[in-house]
Amino acid sequence: MSANNAFHIAVLAGDGIGPEVMAPALEVLRKVGAKSGLGFRFTEAPAGANNYLATGKSMPDTTIKLCEEADAILLGACGLPSVRYPDNTEIAPQIELRFIFDLYAGVRPARLIPGVPSPIVGADKRGIDLVVIRESTEGLFASMGKGVVTHEDARETMVITRKTSERLFEFSFRLAERRKARGKPGMLTCVDKANVFKAFAFFRGIFDEIEKKHPGVKSDRLYVDACSAMLVKRPWDFDVMVMENMFGDIVSDITASLIGGLGMAPSADIGDKYAVFQPCHGTAPDIMGQGKANPTGMILSAAMMLDWLAEKHGVESAAEAGQTIERAVDQVYAGGIKPMEFGGSNGTADITKAVLGAL
């Protein structure tokens, strides 16, 4: 925490609708901060496809330095479909930051908010409240930029290490314990493909070892295909799930779809020292500048940031502020706010005004 007793937040607004949803999140943080006695100092810095077009780099060194010095990092959506590296991969500072700061735990909550439609029959009555934890620095993504392509074939290598897996599972069990203390089931499911690949059998074996240290958490193991089928039938049976990077990339989009789509979904990438908070949605250049963007995912990512800062610095009022934001979001959706992706007429300004009013 900064010397002036304010949290220093690095703000990387990104591309497309990134800046449009970042502004409401900062407004919400300022208002909840004023009500709860929290101070914030926001420092904005460039990152993303537009910066790459201008400079040839996704992020300048000054942005990385800022992220290193800040208490937390707020990141808007980054990348544009039309802007690519020479190897045709997208500009993705969000992925690069995971490797730079060793952010091994990708946390993707999926909670169905009152009044938000779900494609799952019965979800409005049973509820959905789960968390996908996606390992974020290795797995198949360890091969990013290193794959070998010839005329005859293409090869990418999946990497799973004991060190990262142990940290990931410890993090996951602790999260399940915290959720149990807050009245949630406190159950952790390891999702893998251990029946086919040795790497996933290794992954599951480490899970079994760490499980013994956390007897208060009920644990389970599922193959990723069975897990995916169960998620679209009975998502309310899940609490916390932990999995390899690529599986988490896919499964977290499934779970976001269960709660109204990516516009409603917050996320965090967390390491031992640093953390990045970002909505799950993309830059949506097709609606950029039209006031249609849904800022909910970004606002809820800011709430996640407050909860992480509370735990890291022992500032309980930050956790309470995060819960206040979540309750405000619940209130406005239960009250009839309907974003345009749900066929409604409420755009960025309407949703922002409603949440600020509810605070």
Side-chain angles (χ1 to χ4, degrees), residues 189-244:
T189 303
C190 179
V191 180
D192 56 44
K193 198 65 177 169
N195 58 331
V196 176
F197 295 101
K198 292 180 180 179
F200 285 117
F202 176 73
F203 187 74
R204 183 180 288 201
I206 299 171
F207 179 85
D208 294 344
E209 293 172 15
I210 302 300
E211 174 195 36
K212 297 172 184 175
K213 302 179 183 179
H214 300 271
V217 174
K218 182 181 178 182
S219 63
D220 195 9
R221 296 138 185 85
L222 279 176
Y223 300 135
V224 67
D225 45 350
C227 174
S228 299
M230 291 173 66
L231 275 171
V232 297
K233 289 183 176 181
R234 299 179 59 84
W236 43 81
D237 286 347
F238 290 91
D239 187 22
V240 184
M241 296 177 285
V242 59
M243 61 200 73
E244 176 271 339

Side-chain angles (χ1 to χ4, degrees), residues 234-276:
R234 299 179 59 84
W236 43 81
D237 286 347
F238 290 91
D239 187 22
V240 184
M241 296 177 285
V242 59
M243 61 200 73
E244 176 271 339
N245 207 334
M246 179 60 81
F247 287 168
D249 190 23
I250 297 166
V251 171
S252 62
D253 272 21
I254 294 174
T255 56
S257 298
L258 305 181
I259 60 160
L262 294 174
M264 301 297 299
S267 78
D269 288 301
I270 298 174
D272 291 335
K273 184 177 180 182
Y274 302 96
V276 172

Side-chain angles (χ1 to χ4, degrees), residues 84-250:
R84 303 273 176 154
Y85 286 119
D87 65 359
N88 204 40
T89 57
E90 290 188 20
I91 313 303
Q94 63 272 28
I95 298 177
E96 294 165 27
L97 287 168
R98 294 170 196 164
F99 290 104
I100 292 169
F101 293 112
D102 194 20
L103 310 178
Y104 57 86
V107 182
R108 310 288 188 266
R111 182 176 65 89
L112 185 61
I113 292 171
V116 174
S118 170
I120 306 302
V121 175
D124 55 337
K125 297 181 178 63
R126 300 294 298 268
I128 300 172
D129 188 349
L130 57 85
V131 182
V132 172
I133 301 179
R134 165 192 179 186
E135 195 290 312
S136 292
T137 59
E138 47 187 48
L140 194 55
F141 277 74
S143 191
M144 190 179 74
K146 303 173 186 175
V148 177
V149 179
T150 70
H151 179 70
E152 301 300 328
D153 62 22
R155 298 172 186 268
E156 306 276 6
T157 302
M158 181 171 69
V159 177
I160 292 177
T161 68
R162 172 169 290 277
K163 177 183 176 182
T164 295
S165 298
E166 287 177 344
R167 291 189 299 170
L168 178 74
F169 294 140
E170 284 287 359
F171 179 95
S172 302
F173 275 105
R174 290 197 305 270
L175 178 61
E177 287 166 347
R178 290 201 304 276
R179 283 173 62 84
K180 186 175 182 180
R182 294 178 179 181
K184 310 297 183 185
M187 181 176 73
L188 178 62
T189 303
C190 179
V191 180
D192 56 44
K193 198 65 177 169
N195 58 331
V196 176
F197 295 101
K198 292 180 180 179
F200 285 117
F202 176 73
F203 187 74
R204 183 180 288 201
I206 299 171
F207 179 85
D208 294 344
E209 293 172 15
I210 302 300
E211 174 195 36
K212 297 172 184 175
K213 302 179 183 179
H214 300 271
V217 174
K218 182 181 178 182
S219 63
D220 195 9
R221 296 138 185 85
L222 279 176
Y223 300 135
V224 67
D225 45 350
C227 174
S228 299
M230 291 173 66
L231 275 171
V232 297
K233 289 183 176 181
R234 299 179 59 84
W236 43 81
D237 286 347
F238 290 91
D239 187 22
V240 184
M241 296 177 285
V242 59
M243 61 200 73
E244 176 271 339
N245 207 334
M246 179 60 81
F247 287 168
D249 190 23
I250 297 166

